Amino acid sequence: MKIQNIRGVGQERALPTELGLAMHDFMADLFPLCRSITGNGVRETLADVGKEIPLEIHEVPSGTQVFDWSVPLEWNIADAFIKDPSGKRLIDFQQCNLHVVSYSVPIHKKMTLADLKPHLHSLPDYPTWIPFRTSYYRENWGFCLSHKQLSELPDGVELEVCIESTLASGSLTYGECYLRGDTQDEILISCHVCHPSLCNDNLSGLAVATALAKAMAKRPRRYSYRFIFIPATIGAITWMARNEAVLQNIRHGLVITGVGDQGAITYKKSRRGDAEVDRAMQHVLRYDEPGHRVIDFFPYGYDERQYCSPAFNLPVGCLMRTPHGQYPEYHTSADNLDFVKPESLAGSYRHCLSLFDILEHNETYINQHPKGEPQLGRRGLYRDLAGQQESKMFELSLLWVLNMSDGAHSLLDIAERAGISFATIHKAAVLLKQHGLLQAVVF
């Protein structure tokens, strides 16, 4: 099911459950593809994303120097197995693409279980799960299998071991969706596309980012939006190395990952800690996500650590639910389509749109009648009768905006000071502006 075809309902009008189901279906389409940091799995994934949103595909040749790194050789895999003497596949890449250590070099030989065991990876604590392992930057090979499968491998016989892969000069592939706004100032949204059949840690961020790009393409935009779909670490480094001139335009940024499990939202602040995106996301979560957590930046995790590296120090935070490594399903076959919930995807999507709303409308105003309160009653902005509680909070919002609109305080500043939602403060500002009581500051 495509994201735009939600039971005949347009995305902007879709119920949260319907949109969550559509994103989940999109993930199901992508789930079987064998992605890595390079290769045809990434290309196939981006081709499917490109059916949903306008996506420019970039190919960066192997060996290209990108800061202190170089683009690696391209890896592709056709097949892999471990067979018993009768020819029966005991471990089969065609059944689960997690079975092969990503970036394994090719091998085809017969060996005993004793010789094979150093190349086998399992999880004794979770005997039916298959781990996800990689060897990106060191030539090696290996198989991942459940501990149950490991215990059932026959000893004392020769096993046929085959990994039909290639590691050759090629390119690193990434996708970019750029939505031009009224200004060149940008909001950067980044997600990674380098894991095989893992849903929360990979596909959830990709699905939510795709849906967000589709939604923002239909909306008026003060900011320009740049959505990038990249391999983790080397992809972000490559993108920045090729786009240093663009980095100066980034005013806000967000890495989206691990947003489909049932945990409450965790927001990791940018290295700056007090960037506008940090404050705005905390404001969103304060009103919309009970039990959320906000954590300080630390130089480990996802690609926020690349964007926040000291030479750039971009205002980029990270949105996730349960942080990586803090749920047992992380980097295992248990991170599957059942683990990710449509309602969690929809909630994460909604939080991001709320963030964009704040960033888009967080303007600074000057009160045009600052000597005492302007008379709101004759402008129809005050209660006709005292004691009408239903309008009391909105009237308080009007007074807060008037009092704090001195050219030095943004609407987010006012919302935080007043303890009132940004949406209510913004509504008050729009009304006051319509009545000639506010004028926006142009920086």
Side-chain angles (χ1 to χ4, degrees):
M1 182 185 295
K2 301 305 181 186
I3 290 178
Q4 69 265 33
N5 297 326
I6 308 170
R7 300 178 188 172
V9 180
Q11 183 176 345
E12 291 295 318
R13 297 170 49 222
L15 297 174
T17 301
E18 292 175 315
L19 182 56
L21 287 170
M23 287 188 282
H24 196 272
D25 287 345
F26 185 52
M27 292 171 57
D29 292 340
L30 299 176
F31 183 73
L33 300 178
C34 186
R35 287 167 289 274
S36 189
I37 57 173
T38 63
N40 292 326
V42 175
R43 294 188 184 95
E44 293 176 52
T45 299
L46 295 178
D48 281 349
V49 174
K51 296 173 185 176
E52 303 287 330
I53 57 176
L55 195 69
E56 183 177 358
I57 305 299
H58 299 266
E59 299 278 358
V60 185
S62 300
T64 301
Q65 194 68 29
V66 286
F67 301 141
D68 197 42
W69 297 60
S70 63
V71 173
L73 297 175
E74 181 178 324
W75 183 74
N76 287 291
I77 182 167
D79 197 10
F81 56 80
I82 300 174
K83 289 182 180 180
D84 68 12
S86 72
K88 179 183 177 182
R89 291 194 177 208
L90 306 176
I91 304 298
D92 188 357
F93 171 80
Q94 302 299 333
Q95 295 297 316
C96 178
N97 56 36
L98 293 178
H99 272 315
V100 174
V101 172
S102 187
Y103 257 67
S104 286
V105 298
I107 184 173
H108 192 181
K109 62 188 301 185
K110 292 185 177 181
M111 59 180 67
T112 64
L113 180 59
D115 291 332
L116 179 57
K117 272 190 173 180
H119 297 277
L120 300 179
H121 307 273
S122 68
L123 298 168
D125 291 340
Y126 301 96
T128 62
W129 296 0
I130 303 168
F132 169 57
R133 297 289 184 266
T134 67
S135 186
Y136 295 143
Y137 303 106
R138 183 170 61 89
E139 287 197 3
N140 203 342
W141 63 271
F143 287 85
C144 299
L145 65 169
S146 72
H147 204 64
K148 181 176 183 295
Q149 288 174 310
L150 176 61
S151 68
E152 294 172 350
L153 289 179
D155 203 356
V157 298
E158 283 197 323
L159 301 170
E160 183 182 358
V161 177
C162 177
I163 298 176
E164 189 181 335
S165 64
T166 58
L167 194 60
S169 183
S171 63
L172 177 148
T173 312
Y174 69 87
E176 191 167 10
C177 173
Y178 180 71
L179 305 175
R180 186 177 299 279
D182 294 335
T183 71
Q184 289 186 330
D185 292 344
E186 292 188 13
I187 296 178
L188 174 70
I189 304 298
S190 177
C191 65
H192 63 286
V193 296
C194 53
H195 289 358
S197 298
L198 300 176
C199 282
N200 197 44
D201 182 31
N202 195 172
L203 290 179
S204 67
L206 184 153
V208 170
T210 302
L212 289 170
K214 184 176 290 294
M216 295 310 298
K218 300 175 183 177
R219 294 185 173 195
R221 301 178 297 275
R222 174 163 66 116
Y223 287 104
S224 297
Y225 287 73
R226 192 180 299 270
F227 293 82
I228 56 176
F229 300 81
I230 54 176
T233 304
I234 186 62
I237 290 170
T238 298
W239 182 83
M240 288 193 298
R242 288 166 52 88
N243 292 275
E244 283 197 76
V246 170
L247 300 184
Q248 64 183 352
N249 296 332
I250 296 174
R251 297 292 175 265
H252 320 285
L254 192 65
V255 171
I256 302 177
T257 183
V259 288
D261 67 271
Q262 292 183 286
I265 288 286
T266 296
Y267 176 70
K268 178 181 176 181
K269 293 190 285 187
S270 72
R271 181 175 180 266
R272 300 182 188 182
D274 60 352
E276 188 175 338
V277 68
D278 299 326
R279 296 171 54 211
M281 182 54 81
Q282 290 177 82
H283 187 87
V284 167
L285 298 177
R286 186 177 304 125
Y287 288 92
D288 293 348
E289 179 80 9
H292 73 274
R293 289 201 307 157
V294 176
I295 59 178
D296 289 329
F297 174 83
F298 56 95
Y300 185 73
Y302 294 100
D303 284 327
E304 71 281 353
R305 70 187 195 271
Q306 311 306 333
Y307 304 125
C308 294
S309 55
F312 304 118
N313 196 24
L314 296 175
V316 177
C318 181
L319 186 74
M320 51 194 151
R321 288 188 177 274
T322 308
H324 61 88
Q326 295 186 25
Y327 53 97
E329 297 85 356
Y330 176 73
H331 277 195
T332 76
S333 58
D335 183 4
N336 55 30
L337 289 162
D338 292 332
F339 182 63
V340 169
K341 304 302 180 184
E343 58 271 22
S344 297
L345 296 169
S348 302
Y349 168 89
R350 186 181 69 249
H351 294 326
C352 291
L353 281 188
S354 297
L355 172 71
F356 296 165
D357 284 340
I358 292 179
L359 297 176
E360 285 283 339
H361 298 115
N362 187 30
E363 296 188 88
T364 300
Y365 292 93
I366 295 180
N367 185 340
Q368 300 300 288
H369 294 272
K371 296 180 179 179
E373 292 178 8
Q375 190 174 4
L376 300 182
R378 68 179 174 85
R379 294 177 171 88
L381 299 176
Y382 211 73
R383 289 168 289 170
D384 293 331
L385 297 173
Q388 295 179 347
Q389 295 299 317
E390 65 273 9
S391 59
K392 184 176 180 180
M393 179 58 69
F394 185 67
E395 289 172 2
L396 183 59
S397 300
L398 295 170
L399 296 176
W400 269 112
V401 172
L402 285 168
N403 187 272
M404 298 291 290
S405 290
D406 54 5
H409 295 89
S410 70
L411 293 184
L412 181 56
D413 293 332
I414 298 170
E416 290 178 327
R417 174 79 178 268
I420 299 172
S421 73
F422 182 90
T424 302
I425 291 294
H426 176 246
K427 180 181 177 182
V430 169
L431 194 58
L432 291 169
K433 185 179 179 182
Q434 289 173 350
H435 284 79
L437 295 173
L438 294 181
Q439 183 170 331
V441 175
V442 179
F443 292 100

